[in-house]
Amino acid sequence: MLIIKLTDGRETLDDIEKICLYLTTHKELLPLLTTEEDHDLAYILKPTFKADHNESEKKAHWEKLFNEFTLTDSNGDELRFYREKKTDALYFGTKEGFETIKSINNDKPAIKGRFNS
């Protein structure tokens, strides 16, 4: 089980670029990328002089990566991006890890007090 929280809410263009830069700077990940994923990453990281930095186009490429990018770990478990519905937080990891995070986030507080009632 593995889960990494990447953002606390909906990711910004800056967050997206940081995640994509991380994927491209780790040489062990590069051979695992498909040609299409490589193209999407390159587009997102491509500098632009437009005022909006091609934000809508970059986010379209990001959505594609979000939905399709997967890795398989040494145990055969699939790692992918997940989004928590309540907060839009972004995670990366296994389905088991994400299900664990969801169950923890949905649990009611163990102790009710004046601050969390």
Side-chain angles (χ1 to χ4, degrees):
M1 173 176 72
L2 170 75
I3 196 73
I4 301 165
K5 188 175 189 179
L6 300 173
T7 65
D8 289 325
R10 179 63 67 162
E11 61 276 9
T12 64
L13 184 56
D14 189 48
D15 295 327
I16 292 167
E17 289 174 345
K18 286 178 184 174
I19 292 165
C20 292
L21 186 60
Y22 180 86
L23 291 172
T24 60
T25 56
H26 287 78
K27 293 178 184 172
E28 62 275 4
L29 295 178
L30 292 177
L32 303 175
L33 297 173
T34 66
T35 304
E36 207 168 318
E37 291 166 343
D38 188 48
H39 171 74
D40 290 326
L41 288 168
Y43 188 90
I44 291 167
L45 294 173
K46 177 176 63 172
T48 179
F49 294 108
K50 288 178 70 176
D52 70 351
H53 301 288
N54 292 350
E55 186 169 355
S56 60
E57 293 91 349
K58 288 183 177 190
K59 285 188 174 182
H61 283 273
W62 167 247
E63 281 301 314
K64 196 167 151 210
L65 279 171
F66 174 84
N67 290 318
E68 298 175 7
F69 181 74
T70 61
L71 297 174
T72 303
D73 68 12
S74 59
N75 297 326
D77 294 325
E78 182 181 78
L79 294 110
R80 62 179 307 272
F81 292 107
Y82 293 93
R83 183 174 314 286
E84 200 264 324
K85 289 186 182 184
K86 273 189 203 175
T87 63
D88 274 346
L90 180 65
Y91 292 88
F92 185 80
T94 62
K95 184 174 183 174
E96 181 184 6
F98 184 65
E99 294 298 327
T100 300
I101 288 294
K102 280 191 345 186
S103 70
I104 291 169
N105 289 345
N106 289 330
D107 285 345
K108 293 182 180 174
I111 301 172
K112 287 197 174 203
R114 65 181 191 178
F115 298 109
N116 59 359
S117 53

